Amino acid sequence: MQDYNIFKNLKINFPSQFVLHVELNRPAKLNAFDKISWQELHACFKQISLDSDVRAVLISGAGKLFNAGIDLNNLNEINNDTKEKDLARRALHTRKELLVAQDSISSIEQCDKPVIAAIHNGCIGAGIDLITACDIRYCSEDAFFSVKEVDLGLAADVGTLQRLPKIVGNNSLVRELCLTGRNFSSTEALNIGLVNKVLSTKEETLTEALKTANIIASKSPIATLSTKHLLNFSRDHSVTEGLIYTAAWNSAMLNSNDLMEAFDATMGRRKPKFSKL
Ligand SMILES: CC/C=C\C=C\CC(=O)SCCNC(=O)CCNC(=O)[C@H](O)C(C)(C)COP(=O)(O)OP(=O)(O)OC[C@H]1O[C@@H](n2cnc3c(N)ncnc32)[C@H](O)[C@@H]1OP(=O)(O)O
């Protein structure tokens, strides 16, 4: 059994069997990402990957907003604007900080278990980096989104510019959103395919996300892990490369007991029971 009571800025619970809920929990600062948040998010998702008691994950924000982006008080730390070090050393420091933040967000995409974001109210800057690394996104009607970095004088650097175009298309609209930083609504997010469901309230969004997580958690963990892994691989490779890789991957995974259990349960009209990974 993994221990999740070790995080300061994340609140973790199991709302149902095999489903883990990660709540961004810095509500007084609208869940803005400080140094601890980057480190904890990374550690948490690495832990989830290894946890055989988890088959699906929900991520949401505590309090008024889903996420207000990077903690603006931390920008100086990243810049390390000190005259004591030469330019190269300062650049290496900044690069290291950026890689920490990138790895933190990427740990969600690389997590073996499917991750569902339940977004309410604001999702700003680093919040968009986070949700674009998730597998499924639902939001409440009051949600608004902003690729805000351009307003702070920088290009988004921890995933939005790489992942958002792969979700909504590398088109004129995505460039408008990233170049203007303008707010866009839950309706627009639905229309462009950034989210696939809009619910009336935060509570309904969480309930709907949990319903989907429960369905995923009822499947073979080998099948869901493989599906996520192969979708990610195929997104970043040609169809031919994806098919070759899938054949190699499934030549091992088709040996799981889960196939027989799933066939047997279907024929016997009963719920399948899959053993832990
Ligand atoms: C390594 C680099 C990696 C990633 C880089 C990412 C870049 C970005 O994330 S760009 C986006 C940065 N975020 C913002 O620009 C949003 C800033 N916040 C706001 O504009 C507003 O807070 C709001 C989201 C519109 C909400 O407004 P409101 O409802 O009026 O709440 P506030 O009173 O403003 O905020 C309450 C409380 O939270 C603090 N806070 C809000 N956002 C941040 C933040 N990003 N960083 C730090 N603190 C934040 C705010 O100061 C208030 O705190 P008090 O102590 O109560 O004053």
Side-chain angles (χ1 to χ4, degrees):
M1 194 63 139
Q2 301 269 354
D3 180 12
Y4 292 98
N5 288 320
I6 51 174
F7 301 118
K8 179 171 162 271
N9 292 350
L10 299 174
K11 200 166 136 196
I12 314 284
N13 68 74
F14 279 90
S16 57
Q17 197 189 17
F18 297 128
V19 176
L20 187 89
H21 182 185
V22 177
E23 195 175 29
L24 306 173
N25 192 32
R26 224 185 147 223
K29 297 291 175 190
L30 310 182
N31 302 320
F33 277 100
D34 62 356
K35 207 167 176 156
I36 292 176
S37 308
W38 295 118
Q39 288 165 355
E40 289 191 349
L41 192 74
H42 186 259
C44 180
F45 275 90
K46 289 286 167 200
Q47 198 169 315
I48 293 169
S49 253
L50 299 174
D51 189 344
S52 57
D53 285 318
V54 181
R55 294 186 183 175
V57 185
L58 300 182
I59 186 160
S60 69
K64 183 175 163 185
L65 246 93
F66 176 78
N67 185 270
I70 192 169
D71 188 315
L72 295 173
N73 301 310
N74 276 181
L75 280 177
N76 277 349
E77 257 178 63
I78 290 169
N79 261 345
N80 193 226
D81 197 8
T82 162
K83 300 286 168 277
E84 288 154 28
K85 287 185 178 170
D86 61 44
L87 179 59
R89 283 176 176 76
R90 279 187 277 143
L92 283 174
H93 170 89
T94 302
R95 178 172 175 270
K96 193 182 80 190
E97 296 289 326
L98 289 174
L99 291 176
V100 166
Q102 287 181 355
D103 284 351
S104 174
I105 295 293
S106 294
S107 68
I108 298 176
E109 184 176 86
Q110 286 158 9
C111 177
D112 277 348
K113 321 298 162 72
V115 183
I116 307 174
I119 305 145
H120 75 288
N121 204 296
C123 179
I124 302 167
I128 306 264
D129 292 293
L130 187 159
I131 63 163
T132 53
C134 295
D135 298 285
I136 298 171
R137 288 162 291 277
Y138 298 162
C139 74
S140 52
E141 264 170 29
D142 69 353
F144 68 93
F145 302 81
S146 165
V147 184
K148 188 79 178 155
E149 282 82 347
V150 74
D151 287 338
L152 298 185
L154 64 132
D157 45 14
V158 297
T160 292
L161 299 184
Q162 290 67 39
R163 296 187 177 103
L164 185 63
K166 293 196 171 175
I167 296 167
V168 306
N170 190 342
N171 52 29
S172 163
L173 178 71
V174 86
R175 283 158 198 259
E176 182 204 313
L177 297 176
C178 297
L179 290 166
T180 65
R182 75 164 167 85
N183 286 356
F184 56 104
S185 67
S186 53
T187 309
E188 192 168 358
L190 180 68
N191 290 342
I192 66 176
L194 176 59
V195 299
N196 49 310
K197 275 185 190 176
V198 178
L199 291 304
S200 354
T201 61
K202 174 182 178 180
E203 290 66 36
E204 281 186 30
T205 310
L206 273 168
T207 304
E208 193 65 17
L210 179 58
K211 249 193 235 170
T212 302
N214 282 333
I215 295 172
I216 293 169
S218 72
K219 313 284 180 194
S220 149
I222 295 206
T224 54
L225 178 157
S226 298
T227 301
K228 173 170 180 170
H229 183 65
L230 293 172
L231 279 170
N232 282 348
F233 183 93
S234 300
R235 181 197 60 190
D236 298 332
H237 294 82
S238 70
V239 171
T240 305
E241 287 163 339
L243 287 170
I244 291 169
Y245 185 71
T246 299
W249 179 270
N250 262 8
S251 65
M253 294 305 143
L254 291 179
N255 293 305
S256 92
N257 292 338
D258 298 16
L259 263 85
M260 205 37 84
E261 170 60 9
F263 289 170
D264 204 58
T266 306
M267 298 310 283
R269 297 176 195 278
R270 63 169 176 85
K271 279 192 179 159
K273 209 165 179 272
F274 300 108
S275 53
K276 289 185 184 176
L277 288 177

